[in-house]
PDB file of all heavy atoms in Angstrom:
ATOM      1  N   ASN A 177    -130.474-101.351 134.579  1.00 75.00           N
ATOM      2  CA  ASN A 177    -131.727-100.765 134.123  1.00 75.00           C
ATOM      3  C   ASN A 177    -131.635 -99.253 134.039  1.00 75.00           C
ATOM      4  O   ASN A 177    -130.742 -98.637 134.611  1.00 75.00           O
ATOM      5  CB  ASN A 177    -132.866-101.114 135.094  1.00 75.00           C
ATOM      6  CG  ASN A 177    -133.087-102.599 135.211  1.00 75.00           C
ATOM      7  OD1 ASN A 177    -132.921-103.330 134.242  1.00 75.00           O
ATOM      8  ND2 ASN A 177    -133.440-103.061 136.392  1.00 75.00           N
ATOM      9  N   PHE A 178    -132.567 -98.647 133.341  1.00 67.00           N
ATOM     10  CA  PHE A 178    -132.727 -97.208 133.423  1.00 67.00           C
ATOM     11  C   PHE A 178    -134.185 -96.914 133.754  1.00 67.00           C
ATOM     12  O   PHE A 178    -135.082 -97.695 133.439  1.00 67.00           O
ATOM     13  CB  PHE A 178    -132.304 -96.499 132.127  1.00 67.00           C
ATOM     14  CG  PHE A 178    -133.097 -96.888 130.905  1.00 67.00           C
ATOM     15  CD1 PHE A 178    -134.279 -96.236 130.587  1.00 67.00           C
ATOM     16  CD2 PHE A 178    -132.644 -97.898 130.070  1.00 67.00           C
ATOM     17  CE1 PHE A 178    -134.992 -96.588 129.454  1.00 67.00           C
ATOM     18  CE2 PHE A 178    -133.368 -98.257 128.937  1.00 67.00           C
ATOM     19  CZ  PHE A 178    -134.549 -97.594 128.625  1.00 67.00           C
ATOM     20  N   LYS A 179    -134.424 -95.797 134.399  1.00 61.00           N
ATOM     21  CA  LYS A 179    -135.770 -95.451 134.843  1.00 61.00           C
ATOM     22  C   LYS A 179    -136.404 -94.418 133.929  1.00 61.00           C
ATOM     23  O   LYS A 179    -135.752 -93.500 133.457  1.00 61.00           O
ATOM     24  CB  LYS A 179    -135.741 -94.925 136.276  1.00 61.00           C
ATOM     25  CG  LYS A 179    -135.537 -96.003 137.324  1.00 61.00           C
ATOM     26  CD  LYS A 179    -135.798 -95.462 138.718  1.00 61.00           C
ATOM     27  CE  LYS A 179    -135.734 -96.579 139.751  1.00 61.00           C
ATOM     28  NZ  LYS A 179    -136.047 -96.090 141.105  1.00 61.00           N
ATOM     29  N   GLN A 180    -137.702 -94.590 133.703  1.00 57.00           N
ATOM     30  CA  GLN A 180    -138.502 -93.596 133.017  1.00 57.00           C
ATOM     31  C   GLN A 180    -139.718 -93.289 133.874  1.00 57.00           C
ATOM     32  O   GLN A 180    -140.106 -94.081 134.729  1.00 57.00           O
ATOM     33  CB  GLN A 180    -138.938 -94.116 131.637  1.00 57.00           C
ATOM     34  CG  GLN A 180    -137.788 -94.286 130.657  1.00 57.00           C
ATOM     35  CD  GLN A 180    -138.277 -94.735 129.298  1.00 57.00           C
ATOM     36  OE1 GLN A 180    -139.419 -95.131 129.130  1.00 57.00           O
ATOM     37  NE2 GLN A 180    -137.392 -94.661 128.306  1.00 57.00           N
ATOM     38  N   LYS A 181    -140.333 -92.173 133.644  1.00 55.00           N
ATOM     39  CA  LYS A 181    -141.469 -91.777 134.476  1.00 55.00           C
ATOM     40  C   LYS A 181    -142.639 -92.746 134.333  1.00 55.00           C
ATOM     41  O   LYS A 181    -143.285 -93.109 135.292  1.00 55.00           O
ATOM     42  CB  LYS A 181    -141.908 -90.360 134.112  1.00 55.00           C
ATOM     43  CG  LYS A 181    -140.915 -89.285 134.519  1.00 55.00           C
ATOM     44  CD  LYS A 181    -141.443 -87.899 134.172  1.00 55.00           C
ATOM     45  CE  LYS A 181    -140.437 -86.830 134.608  1.00 55.00           C
ATOM     46  NZ  LYS A 181    -140.911 -85.461 134.275  1.00 55.00           N
ATOM     47  N   LYS A 182    -142.905 -93.176 133.110  1.00 54.00           N
ATOM     48  CA  LYS A 182    -144.055 -94.045 132.880  1.00 54.00           C
ATOM     49  C   LYS A 182    -143.708 -95.516 133.056  1.00 54.00           C
ATOM     50  O   LYS A 182    -144.488 -96.296 133.580  1.00 54.00           O
ATOM     51  CB  LYS A 182    -144.615 -93.814 131.475  1.00 54.00           C
ATOM     52  CG  LYS A 182    -145.266 -92.443 131.292  1.00 54.00           C
ATOM     53  CD  LYS A 182    -145.861 -92.322 129.899  1.00 54.00           C
ATOM     54  CE  LYS A 182    -146.525 -90.969 129.710  1.00 54.00           C
ATOM     55  NZ  LYS A 182    -147.103 -90.839 128.357  1.00 54.00           N
ATOM     56  N   ASN A 183    -142.530 -95.899 132.608  1.00 50.00           N
ATOM     57  CA  ASN A 183    -142.146 -97.318 132.644  1.00 50.00           C
ATOM     58  C   ASN A 183    -140.854 -97.467 133.436  1.00 50.00           C
ATOM     59  O   ASN A 183    -139.773 -97.224 132.928  1.00 50.00           O
ATOM     60  CB  ASN A 183    -141.936 -97.850 131.220  1.00 50.00           C
ATOM     61  CG  ASN A 183    -143.165 -97.659 130.365  1.00 50.00           C
ATOM     62  OD1 ASN A 183    -144.272 -97.953 130.798  1.00 50.00           O
ATOM     63  ND2 ASN A 183    -142.977 -97.149 129.155  1.00 50.00           N
ATOM     64  N   ASN A 184    -140.984 -97.835 134.688  1.00 57.00           N
ATOM     65  CA  ASN A 184    -139.818 -97.907 135.566  1.00 57.00           C
ATOM     66  C   ASN A 184    -138.981 -99.157 135.311  1.00 57.00           C
ATOM     67  O   ASN A 184    -139.488-100.198 134.900  1.00 57.00           O
ATOM     68  CB  ASN A 184    -140.259 -97.886 137.031  1.00 57.00           C
ATOM     69  CG  ASN A 184    -140.786 -96.524 137.438  1.00 57.00           C
ATOM     70  OD1 ASN A 184    -140.407 -95.507 136.859  1.00 57.00           O
ATOM     71  ND2 ASN A 184    -141.656 -96.501 138.431  1.00 57.00           N
ATOM     72  N   ASN A 185    -137.697 -99.032 135.585  1.00 62.00           N
ATOM     73  CA  ASN A 185    -136.776-100.169 135.594  1.00 62.00           C
ATOM     74  C   ASN A 185    -136.759-100.964 134.290  1.00 62.00           C
ATOM     75  O   ASN A 185    -136.921-102.170 134.274  1.00 62.00           O
ATOM     76  CB  ASN A 185    -137.099-101.109 136.751  1.00 62.00           C
ATOM     77  CG  ASN A 185    -136.933-100.429 138.092  1.00 62.00           C
ATOM     78  OD1 ASN A 185    -136.203 -99.455 138.216  1.00 62.00           O
ATOM     79  ND2 ASN A 185    -137.608-100.945 139.101  1.00 62.00           N
ATOM     80  N   LEU A 186    -136.573-100.263 133.174  1.00 73.00           N
ATOM     81  CA  LEU A 186    -136.465-100.947 131.896  1.00 73.00           C
ATOM     82  C   LEU A 186    -135.050-101.479 131.710  1.00 73.00           C
ATOM     83  O   LEU A 186    -134.079-100.749 131.913  1.00 73.00           O
ATOM     84  CB  LEU A 186    -136.809 -99.992 130.750  1.00 73.00           C
ATOM     85  CG  LEU A 186    -138.225 -99.409 130.785  1.00 73.00           C
ATOM     86  CD1 LEU A 186    -138.437 -98.507 129.582  1.00 73.00           C
ATOM     87  CD2 LEU A 186    -139.268-100.514 130.788  1.00 73.00           C
ATOM     88  N   PRO A 187    -134.885-102.756 131.333  1.00 77.00           N
ATOM     89  CA  PRO A 187    -133.533-103.305 131.171  1.00 77.00           C
ATOM     90  C   PRO A 187    -132.800-102.625 130.029  1.00 77.00           C
ATOM     91  O   PRO A 187    -133.373-102.360 128.975  1.00 77.00           O
ATOM     92  CB  PRO A 187    -133.798-104.785 130.875  1.00 77.00           C
ATOM     93  CG  PRO A 187    -135.171-104.819 130.311  1.00 77.00           C
ATOM     94  CD  PRO A 187    -135.934-103.736 131.004  1.00 77.00           C
ATOM     95  N   GLN A 188    -131.527-102.364 130.249  1.00 81.00           N
ATOM     96  CA  GLN A 188    -130.727-101.687 129.236  1.00 81.00           C
ATOM     97  C   GLN A 188    -129.543-102.528 128.795  1.00 81.00           C
ATOM     98  O   GLN A 188    -129.351-102.763 127.615  1.00 81.00           O
ATOM     99  CB  GLN A 188    -130.241-100.344 129.775  1.00 81.00           C
ATOM    100  CG  GLN A 188    -129.505 -99.490 128.745  1.00 81.00           C
ATOM    101  CD  GLN A 188    -129.102 -98.138 129.305  1.00 81.00           C
ATOM    102  OE1 GLN A 188    -128.953 -97.989 130.512  1.00 81.00           O
ATOM    103  NE2 GLN A 188    -128.930 -97.152 128.435  1.00 81.00           N
ATOM    104  N   PHE A 189    -128.727-102.995 129.775  1.00 85.00           N
ATOM    105  CA  PHE A 189    -127.545-103.772 129.446  1.00 85.00           C
ATOM    106  C   PHE A 189    -127.489-105.062 130.254  1.00 85.00           C
ATOM    107  O   PHE A 189    -127.874-105.096 131.415  1.00 85.00           O
ATOM    108  CB  PHE A 189    -126.269-102.973 129.740  1.00 85.00           C
ATOM    109  CG  PHE A 189    -126.029-101.827 128.802  1.00 85.00           C
ATOM    110  CD1 PHE A 189    -126.285-100.531 129.206  1.00 85.00           C
ATOM    111  CD2 PHE A 189    -125.549-102.043 127.522  1.00 85.00           C
ATOM    112  CE1 PHE A 189    -126.063 -99.461 128.359  1.00 85.00           C
ATOM    113  CE2 PHE A 189    -125.319-100.980 126.662  1.00 85.00           C
ATOM    114  CZ  PHE A 189    -125.585 -99.683 127.076  1.00 85.00           C
ATOM    115  N   LEU A 190    -126.976-106.100 129.616  1.00 88.00           N
ATOM    116  CA  LEU A 190    -126.575-107.319 130.299  1.00 88.00           C
ATOM    117  C   LEU A 190    -125.066-107.215 130.475  1.00 88.00           C
ATOM    118  O   LEU A 190    -124.324-107.130 129.490  1.00 88.00           O
ATOM    119  CB  LEU A 190    -126.939-108.548 129.455  1.00 88.00           C
ATOM    120  CG  LEU A 190    -126.739-109.912 130.084  1.00 88.00           C
ATOM    121  CD1 LEU A 190    -127.796-110.160 131.148  1.00 88.00           C
ATOM    122  CD2 LEU A 190    -126.809-111.003 129.029  1.00 88.00           C
TER     123      LEU A 190
END
Side-chain angles (χ1 to χ4, degrees):
N177 300 326
F178 61 87
K179 285 191 174 183
Q180 293 183 348
K181 290 182 179 179
K182 292 183 179 180
N183 303 314
N184 289 334
N185 298 337
L186 300 181
Q188 186 177 24
F189 289 103
L190 187 73

